[in-house]
Amino acid sequence: MAVFTGAGVAIVTPMKENGEVDFDQFRKLIEFQIENGTDAIIVCGTTGEASTLSHEEHLETVRYCTEVVAGRIPVIAGTGSNCTETAVYLSTEAEKYGVDGLLLVSPYYNKATQNGLYAHFKTVAESVRVPIILYNVPSRTGCNILPETVVRLCKDVDNIIGVKEASGNISQIAHLAALSHGYVDIYSGNDDQIVPILSLGGVGVISVLSNVAPRQTHEICQKFFDGDIEGSRKLQLEAMNLCNALFCEVNPIPVKKALNLMGLGSGSLRMPLTEMEEANVEKLAKAMREYGILK
């Protein structure tokens, strides 16, 4: 049973100008998502700048999100690390706050072998009871979780249930779907590949786009599930220019700028991330206006 189906937002972590987490604004962003049909909230992932949060900030952000959501939709906490011990710590603490699931990115920089990945994820999963979604994003981690390893983990470890696939490699994802025979819950990790991955049996998306267009991203998935494939495809293609603009600089630089342009106040970034170049701001604003989310 999937921890959620549809469009889950990889939510930003709003910051004050002094760099502190802005919890008051975070509440507003959470409510905006729920009011506009988001199917789940993924907190403290890549888009949430988890890599620059202290452990204390990370866990407080997870706790606060779970408290505000209050069971209305699922909350999945990013608790991965390149250190297995740290991932166990973050995961066990997040579980105490009542999260509905965990998102575990592959260990970055270490470049573990497939056997190492298996041992790492199995160790973390066995420290908790909640469902776990693996996160494959080799462009950031330098490490690719192969389909065989994903299937092996989902079969061997009861609470590892699926994977967020952000490799961008449709052939690899198709291979995973063929190997798993529906046993693995596959989520698109790329907003420009929602419909292709749903067509391979995927159950949803963990989305950056949903930060600024939650209703539309939900509808891409819902129309597909309802059998309106043409309608889903149309919405996917209409979003392509905006998807591209949201990644014209490294995520989450553009999406935080987009939220600020919309008056939703995501605040500043933490270094080493810096503000967008002006030419890219213009490109982003143009795409937002064309999509109808900015006047």
Side-chain angles (χ1 to χ4, degrees):
M1 184 70 177
V3 67
F4 79 94
T5 58
V9 61
I11 199 165
V12 304
T13 302
M15 306 284 186
K16 299 177 182 178
E17 287 305 313
N18 65 3
E20 294 177 358
V21 176
D22 189 340
F23 287 105
D24 289 339
Q25 191 59 35
F26 194 33
R27 177 183 290 271
K28 294 176 183 177
L29 293 178
I30 292 168
E31 294 298 342
F32 171 74
Q33 289 295 319
I34 294 174
E35 288 167 8
N36 285 279
T38 286
D39 296 294
I41 292 180
I42 293 79
V43 58
C44 290
T46 303
T47 311
E49 297 178 81
S51 59
T52 57
L53 297 175
S54 69
H55 291 169
E56 292 77 16
E57 289 174 318
H58 189 140
L59 292 171
E60 179 61 14
T61 303
V62 170
R63 184 203 63 76
Y64 186 82
C65 182
T66 307
E67 180 182 277
V68 172
V69 172
R72 288 176 287 174
I73 57 175
V75 173
I76 294 94
T79 54
S81 173
N82 64 337
C83 170
T84 304
E85 183 179 348
T86 299
V88 167
Y89 167 67
L90 293 173
S91 299
T92 54
E93 291 300 306
E95 183 179 44
K96 295 175 185 177
Y97 304 142
V99 298
D100 299 281
L102 302 173
L103 181 71
L104 297 182
V105 70
S106 56
Y108 37 88
Y109 189 77
N110 310 60
K111 298 184 75 172
T113 65
Q114 296 302 304
N115 284 337
L117 292 173
Y118 178 88
H120 169 83
F121 288 125
K122 186 171 186 288
T123 298
V124 179
E126 288 177 343
S127 73
V128 294
R129 298 185 184 89
V130 290
I132 285 172
I133 301 169
L134 309 177
Y135 180 14
N136 190 36
V137 58
S139 65
R140 283 187 178 264
T141 64
C143 187
N144 186 25
I145 315 173
L146 294 179
E148 291 81 2
T149 303
V150 173
V151 172
R152 182 184 173 202
L153 282 162
C154 287
K155 288 187 173 179
D156 290 357
V157 186
D158 288 343
N159 59 331
I160 297 180
I161 62 168
V163 61
K164 174 185 176 182
E165 244 298 345
S167 67
N169 185 338
I170 288 293
S171 294
Q172 174 170 302
I173 298 166
H175 182 50
L176 169 61
L179 286 177
S180 66
H181 301 290
Y183 193 81
V184 177
D185 295 330
I186 303 173
Y187 295 90
S188 175
N190 293 321
D191 287 308
D192 60 355
Q193 295 181 339
I194 302 172
V195 171
I197 289 175
L198 292 179
S199 75
L200 292 170
V203 297
V205 59
I206 295 177
S207 170
V208 175
L209 176 66
S210 283
N211 279 280
V212 296
R215 179 66 62 185
Q216 296 91 325
T217 315
H218 164 83
E219 284 299 317
I220 292 173
C221 296
Q222 193 58 54
K223 284 183 180 294
F224 191 97
F225 298 149
D226 291 343
D228 183 5
I229 309 303
E230 177 61 25
S232 177
R233 182 186 68 83
K234 182 175 182 291
L235 291 177
Q236 170 80 88
L237 295 179
E238 287 174 353
M240 290 299 286
N241 285 343
L242 180 56
C243 291
N244 291 335
L246 286 170
F247 286 87
C248 66
E249 291 189 24
V250 69
N251 180 50
I253 293 173
V255 72
K256 291 194 94 170
K257 175 59 72 174
L259 285 165
N260 287 333
L261 290 172
M262 293 171 70
L264 292 174
S266 67
S268 59
L269 298 143
R270 282 196 175 174
M271 289 183 68
L273 300 184
T274 54
E275 292 299 318
M276 284 184 81
E277 296 179 14
E278 192 56 39
N280 286 330
V281 174
E282 293 175 8
K283 176 181 178 180
L284 174 63
K286 181 174 183 289
M288 292 171 69
R289 285 192 294 269
E290 290 173 348
Y291 194 64
I293 59 173
L294 187 67
K295 294 181 180 179

